[in-house]
């Protein structure tokens, strides 16, 4: 579900500003990928605050006691949301970063697999949890996060991302869990953000839906 | 250089929420695990509040956080004091144009990176990380910001490992910490005490080092 589809947030100027604050970096980490760079959002204090506020307004009264953030960009959004709604923050990390006892969940990448870990004892059975990341692409990482929390007995209420495609639900299904997204990926680069490789780029104010810069698959890509 | 008033009741609750894990990531290292602090909603809130109370109204426009645990503490502080948040990352994580700074490890070197254009000359900045050990990473972060003309006002960490002399390595750059930790050496606050005594017995021939690897 997109934030802008909902009553109350339709036409909300905060969403437009959030979208425009996100920089698109072409061909990163590899050719054909239009990387959605949220670090420029973090430089815009108002847009960053609005991002957190929109999530907090949604989740404040849902009885959520756990906000799980996916390493590393989920760490940039999750703790502020957790603090505001009175939940604990649980980092979900790459292998061997968390000390002490962990549970691990493998997930499939385009080539090969990766793994996400969570501390044993971080969540209790019956707790209601939110999963946060900056962006959802195929949903593989989020699906692994959901499985980790469910294995610990928590109930995942929703997954929340700043950026995502409408079509993601069809690819991995997120185990049937709802997904809440603020903005769609931008396909055009904008010059309101710092130059890319020293080159100023043209500004486009409208969200461009669909369309590719290169290959027809993987126009967005999830990395940490 | 300063530490907060030790009478502040929030400090002792914060320090007791931090878990010590012996022999992580390798034998002889007492790892200061802040993830248990993040599970204590009041203690985590107090941690952020203590930094915000110190830095609000000081004309700080940049909070730079060091990957990855600096990403947990930095953004809430930045949002509360009206500053932007700038992630300082391991190599090849940031897209687009970056500047890099190399620093020494016990064996070899590592590098941190920051986006070109994230900060402007003349801005006033904090650097945040969960812990200062030898100070190598923080020094590299200071150099990165100063190279582009930013004034680093202070480095701020939840925990200091004083035995590793990071504070001296920062030189004249101020360091603010919530907890100077002796728990790595004495470790008496947690149920790992038995393991710790066994560990010290086993490791008496090796120095008990406090290095924390990110």
């Amino acid at each position: 579900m997109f934030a802008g589809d909902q009553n109350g947030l339709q036409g909300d100027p905060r969403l437009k500003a959030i979208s425009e604050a996100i920089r698109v970096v072409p061909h990163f980490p590899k050719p054909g990928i239009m990387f959605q760079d949220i670090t420029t959002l973090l430089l815009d204090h108002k847009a960053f605050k609005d991002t957190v506020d929109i999530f907090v307004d949604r989740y404040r009264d849902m009885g959520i006691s756990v906000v799980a953030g996916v390493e590393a960009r989920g760490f940039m959004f999750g703790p502020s949301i957790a603090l505001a709604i009175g939940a604990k923050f649980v980092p979900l990390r790459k292998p061997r970063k968390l000390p002490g006892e962990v549970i691990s969940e493998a997930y499939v990448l385009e080539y090969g697999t990766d793994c996400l870990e969570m501390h044993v004892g971080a969540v209790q059975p019956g707790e209601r949890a939110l999963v946060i990341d900056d962006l959802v692409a195929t949903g593989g990482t989020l699906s692994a996060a959901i499985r980790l929390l469910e294995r610990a007995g928590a109930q995942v209420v929703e997954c929340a991302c700043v950026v995502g495609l409408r079509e993601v639900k069809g690819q991995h299904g997120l185990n049937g869990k709802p997904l809440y997204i603020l903005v769609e990926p931008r396909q055009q680069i904008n010059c309101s953000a710092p130059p890319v490789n020293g080159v100023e780029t043209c500004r486009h104010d409208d969200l461009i839906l669909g369309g590719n810069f290169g290959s027809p698959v993987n126009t967005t890509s999830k990395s940490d | 250089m300063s530490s907060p008033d030790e009478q502040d009741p929030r400090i002792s609750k914060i320090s007791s929420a931090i878990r010590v894990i012996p022999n992580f990531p390798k034998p002889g290292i007492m790892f200061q695990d802040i993830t248990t602090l993040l599970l204590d909603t009041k203690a985590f809130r107090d941690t952020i509040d203590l930094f915000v109370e110190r830095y609000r109204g000081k004309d700080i426009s940049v909070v730079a956080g060091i990957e990855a645990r600096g990403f947990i503490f930095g953004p809430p502080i930045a949002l509360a004091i009206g500053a932007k948040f700038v992630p300082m990352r391991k190599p090849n994580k940031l897209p687009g144009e970056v500047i890099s700074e190399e620093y020494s490890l016990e064996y070899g070197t590592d590098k941190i990176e920051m986006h070109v254009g994230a900060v402007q000359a003349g801005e006033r900045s904090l650097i945040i990380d969960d812990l200062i050990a030898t100070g190598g990473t923080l020094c590299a972060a200071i150099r990165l910001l100063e190279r582009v003309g930013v004034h680093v006002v202070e480095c701020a960490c939840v925990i200091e490992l004083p035995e590793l002399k990071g504070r001296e390595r920062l030189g004249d750059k101020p360091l603010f910490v919530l907890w100077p930790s002796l728990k790595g050496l004495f470790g008496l606050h947690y149920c790992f005490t038995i393991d710790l005594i066994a560990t010290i017995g086993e490791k008496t021939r090796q120095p008990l080092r406090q290095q924390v690897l990110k």
Side-chain angles (χ1 to χ4, degrees):
Chain A
M1 166 198 329
F2 278 84
D5 293 345
Q6 281 195 304
N7 291 338
L9 287 177
Q10 276 161 348
D12 190 318
R14 293 179 299 174
L15 292 174
K16 183 168 190 284
I18 289 165
S19 175
E20 289 175 354
I22 295 169
R23 175 173 72 157
V24 179
V25 180
H27 307 305
F28 182 89
K30 53 188 189 187
I33 307 277
M34 300 294 283
F35 190 88
Q36 309 291 313
D37 180 16
I38 52 87
T39 65
T40 44
L41 172 63
L42 309 176
L43 300 180
D44 181 336
H45 177 263
K46 181 174 190 318
F48 184 21
K49 184 170 188 311
D50 287 342
T51 302
V52 172
D53 286 349
I54 291 171
F55 287 128
V56 169
D57 288 343
R58 178 173 179 77
Y59 297 117
R60 173 181 279 129
D61 298 319
M62 285 196 185
I64 287 165
S65 59
V66 175
V67 173
V70 180
E71 170 167 17
R73 288 184 292 267
F75 292 4
M76 299 176 192
F77 298 94
S80 300
I81 298 167
L83 286 164
I85 69 173
K88 47 193 183 185
F89 179 71
V90 175
L92 303 182
R93 297 209 68 175
K94 300 283 172 156
R96 295 174 297 283
K97 298 292 184 74
L98 291 170
E101 206 182 347
V102 297
I103 55 172
S104 298
E105 186 71 34
Y107 61 101
V108 175
L109 298 172
E110 190 179 8
Y111 300 106
T113 62
D114 206 338
C115 200
L116 211 53
E117 295 186 340
M118 181 174 78
H119 267 139
V120 168
V123 301
Q124 307 305 317
E127 292 207 78
R128 288 165 58 79
L130 195 56
V131 181
I132 300 280
D133 207 352
D134 65 321
L135 177 143
V136 53
T138 64
T141 319
L142 286 179
S143 295
I146 293 167
R147 286 195 297 274
L148 270 176
L149 288 158
E150 290 184 335
R151 280 166 57 189
Q155 180 203 353
V156 177
V157 173
E158 195 156 84
C159 296
C161 298
V162 180
V163 190
L165 287 163
R166 285 182 188 276
E167 301 86 66
V168 68
K169 270 179 143 174
Q171 296 189 38
H172 263 261
L174 294 188
N175 311 351
K177 293 297 172 191
L179 176 62
Y180 184 75
I181 300 170
L182 295 193
V183 298
E184 291 187 86
R186 299 176 67 89
Q187 296 299 321
Q188 299 295 331
I189 44 191
N190 57 330
C191 69
S192 58
V196 175
N197 298 324
V199 177
E200 295 287 349
T201 56
C202 354
R203 185 188 176 97
H204 291 257
D205 291 323
D206 302 317
L207 293 177
I208 306 294
L209 303 179
N212 298 309
F213 205 86
S215 69
V217 296
N218 294 333
T219 53
T220 57
S221 169
K222 183 75 193 79
S223 60
D224 61 0
Chain B
M1 81 158 228
S2 56
S3 284
D5 180 359
E6 296 212 12
Q7 307 294 12
D8 190 324
R10 293 178 291 181
I11 301 283
S12 63
K13 291 201 166 60
I14 289 166
S15 76
S16 60
I18 295 166
R19 174 171 75 155
V20 178
I21 307 270
N23 302 315
F24 182 88
K26 51 191 189 184
I29 298 190
M30 304 297 289
F31 191 89
Q32 307 286 320
D33 180 18
I34 51 89
T35 65
T36 42
L37 171 62
L38 310 177
L39 301 180
D40 181 334
T41 51
K42 179 158 194 330
F44 184 24
R45 162 53 56 196
D46 287 345
T47 303
I48 299 300
D49 285 350
L50 283 161
F51 289 121
V52 171
E53 286 162 19
R54 182 176 180 83
Y55 297 117
R56 177 181 276 144
K58 300 281 182 4
D59 197 28
I60 287 164
S61 59
V62 177
V63 173
I66 297 183
E67 173 162 16
R69 290 181 289 266
F71 295 176
I72 295 174
F73 297 96
I77 296 166
L79 286 168
I81 69 173
K84 50 192 181 185
F85 178 71
V86 175
M88 309 198 90
R89 299 211 64 175
K90 302 278 177 174
N92 309 312
K93 298 292 180 78
L94 290 171
E97 204 181 353
V98 297
I99 54 172
S100 303
E101 185 72 32
E102 208 169 70
Y103 61 101
S104 304
L105 298 172
E106 190 180 9
Y107 301 107
T109 61
D110 205 341
K111 227 197 279 197
I112 57 167
E113 296 185 339
M114 179 174 76
H115 267 139
V116 168
V119 296
Q120 311 303 320
E123 293 205 79
R124 287 163 54 79
S125 175
L126 293 182
I127 305 176
I128 304 279
D129 207 353
D130 65 323
L131 177 147
I132 174 172
T134 63
T137 321
L138 280 172
C139 282
I142 293 167
R143 284 196 299 273
L144 257 184
L145 288 161
E146 291 187 334
R147 274 166 59 188
V148 292
V150 167
H151 171 51
V152 177
V153 174
E154 196 157 80
C155 294
C157 301
V158 180
I159 306 163
E160 176 185 10
L161 302 180
E163 318 78 42
L164 293 181
K165 303 196 185 323
R167 194 177 283 269
E168 283 94 284
R169 191 160 172 184
L170 294 188
D172 58 3
K173 250 340 147 191
L175 171 69
F176 175 76
V177 301
L178 298 188
W179 186 251
S181 169
L182 300 177
K183 283 164 40 170
L185 290 176
F186 302 113
L188 297 178
H189 293 77
Y190 285 99
C191 57
F192 296 104
T193 305
I194 307 282
D195 283 344
L196 171 61
I197 292 169
T199 301
I200 290 175
E202 278 173 53
K203 300 293 177 188
T204 47
R205 281 175 300 146
Q206 297 174 22
L208 199 65
R209 286 177 298 114
Q210 301 289 324
Q211 287 270 4
V212 174
L213 303 178
K214 301 267 181 212

